[in-house]
Amino acid sequence: MPIAPTHAQRAAEPTHRDRSGGEVDPGGGTRATIAALLANLAIAVTKFIAWLLTGASSMLSEAIHSFADTGNQVLLLMGNRRGQRAANAIHPFGYGRQRYINAFVVSIVLFSVGGLFALYQTVHKLIEVARGEPDELLNSAWWWVPLVVLGLSMIAESLSFRTALRESDAQREGVGLLGFVHDARAPELPVVLLEDSAALLGLVFALLGVGLTLLTSNGLFDALGAGMIGLLLIAVAVMLGVEMQSLLLGESATPETTAVIVSALTQTPGIESVIHMKTVHVGPDKVLVAAKIAVAPTDSAEYVSAVIDAAERNIRDAEPICTYIYLEPDIRREPYRAVRGMAR
């Protein structure tokens, strides 16, 4: 029975594709990240100017939030770039996890620079209100500026969020936002989607805080708006940190990808079954596959070698992200019991 290619004929690293066969950006949503960066930078500057003119606490919290988001997008782009470096003797599986590291740093920035600062600003504003100090927003001739800035910011953030949603459509395949964030193996789009969602909700809190303060002449609402922004950012930072920690520890391929790999193996002539298999993402778009496959006890070493070559080619054809493949031939003995921690 012909078993194609030898080791020398194995395909080079392939183009990444989605389930429909279309090419997937291996950079992980670069367009969405750049769109978010530009939007956040412009928004941050306008919010900061609005705070300088009015002294509104919600505006300062939102300005710091937007500046933090801008820095986060820079971190994501840097991680993306550094993660594309080629493997070497020191890092034989490449630098793909650099993207996870930078995304984890993003969660720290959100928690500290965004969330904790907003809570600090809330406490500071509450103390001012309790002391009966004059409210800068209420006494400012520019009281209307925060309302305009927040309205324009909502438009800009909505456009950025729409870009991120469009970028993720091919990968989400009907999965909800939180489900996509939990299941995704590339960090950039989930981070941008979470940040944009938090930014839109934060703008609502800021608008409520500023608006109610202007309507009631009570600075307490401005302080509470800043506090809600802080709690929101801390919640998003914790969620993001948990997800990135899991990816840094090493997550397996998705169940769909695993099923495709098993199918590619079992459909290869000469392979009787898959005894057990392990997969792990060594980067968002690179998967390591280690499997023990059952072959006939009468097969020659030359034939088994050709079977392994064909199996590797079939796996890469079915799932191009399977960059590193290690197959061990064995003879199935019933009942089979894998080494502890290795059974599927």
Side-chain angles (χ1 to χ4, degrees), residues 65 68-69 72 105-116 195 233-234 236-237 240:
H65 174 193
D69 282 353
N72 288 341
V105 174
V106 165
S107 70
I108 297 174
V109 173
L110 272 179
F111 184 88
S112 56
V113 179
L116 293 184
E195 284 189 342
L233 293 180
I234 288 175
V236 171
L240 183 59

Side-chain angles (χ1 to χ4, degrees), residues 80 130 133 169-170 188 208 241 269:
N80 195 340
E133 296 180 11
D169 277 345
E188 289 83 5
L208 287 173

Side-chain angles (χ1 to χ4, degrees), residues 23-40:
E23 291 188 8
V24 172
D25 173 20
T30 302
R31 286 188 296 272
T33 306
I34 293 175
L37 187 154
L38 295 175
N40 281 316

Side-chain angles (χ1 to χ4, degrees), residues 164-177 180-181 193:
L165 285 176
R166 286 179 174 176
E167 286 283 289
S168 65
D169 277 345
Q171 301 176 40
R172 287 192 297 124
E173 297 181 340
V175 177
L177 179 59
F180 173 69
V181 170
L193 285 168

Side-chain angles (χ1 to χ4, degrees), residues 92-315:
F93 296 120
Y95 292 82
R97 287 185 178 173
Q98 181 71 54
R99 291 162 67 180
Y100 298 151
I101 294 172
N102 282 39
F104 186 78
V105 174
V106 165
S107 70
I108 297 174
V109 173
L110 272 179
F111 184 88
S112 56
V113 179
L116 293 184
F117 179 83
L119 292 182
Y120 163 79
Q121 184 66 18
T122 300
V123 173
H124 180 72
K125 183 69 175 182
L126 288 173
I127 292 174
E128 289 184 351
V129 173
R131 290 175 177 173
E133 296 180 11
D135 192 291
E136 292 182 61
L137 174 61
L138 295 174
N139 295 327
S140 173
W142 301 96
W143 59 267
W144 52 272
V145 171
L147 301 176
V148 174
V149 169
L150 290 172
L152 293 175
S153 297
M154 284 185 173
I155 295 174
E157 288 289 2
S158 297
L159 293 175
S160 174
F161 186 57
R162 184 181 67 175
T163 301
L165 285 176
R166 286 179 174 176
E167 286 283 289
S168 65
D169 277 345
Q171 301 176 40
R172 287 192 297 124
E173 297 181 340
V175 177
L177 179 59
L178 292 180
F180 173 69
V181 170
H182 179 70
D183 295 337
R185 299 302 190 263
E188 289 83 5
L189 277 175
V191 170
V192 172
L193 285 168
L194 279 177
E195 284 189 342
D196 284 351
S197 301
L200 285 169
L201 190 53
L203 288 169
V204 173
F205 292 152
L207 188 60
L208 287 173
V210 172
L212 289 173
T213 292
L214 292 173
L215 288 174
T216 64
S217 299
N218 189 341
L220 176 64
F221 293 107
D222 185 26
L224 293 178
M228 292 297 292
I229 293 169
L231 293 175
L232 171 66
L233 293 180
I234 288 175
V236 171
V238 170
M239 180 187 302
L240 183 59
V242 169
E243 294 298 332
M244 292 306 110
Q245 180 189 48
S246 179
L247 289 170
L248 279 170
L249 289 173
E251 289 192 2
S252 64
T254 64
E256 294 79 12
T257 298
T258 300
V260 170
I261 297 171
V262 171
S263 177
L265 285 171
T266 55
Q267 290 179 15
T268 302
I271 295 180
E272 296 180 346
S273 63
V274 176
I275 298 174
H276 65 76
M277 184 178 77
K278 291 290 182 182
T279 63
V280 65
H281 271 267
V282 296
D285 50 11
K286 289 182 174 62
V287 171
L288 183 150
V289 179
K292 178 173 285 191
I293 55 175
V295 298
T298 56
D299 289 343
S300 67
E302 181 180 5
Y303 180 78
V304 170
S305 178
V307 168
I308 291 174
D309 289 337
E312 291 181 359
R313 187 182 73 257
N314 289 344
I315 291 173

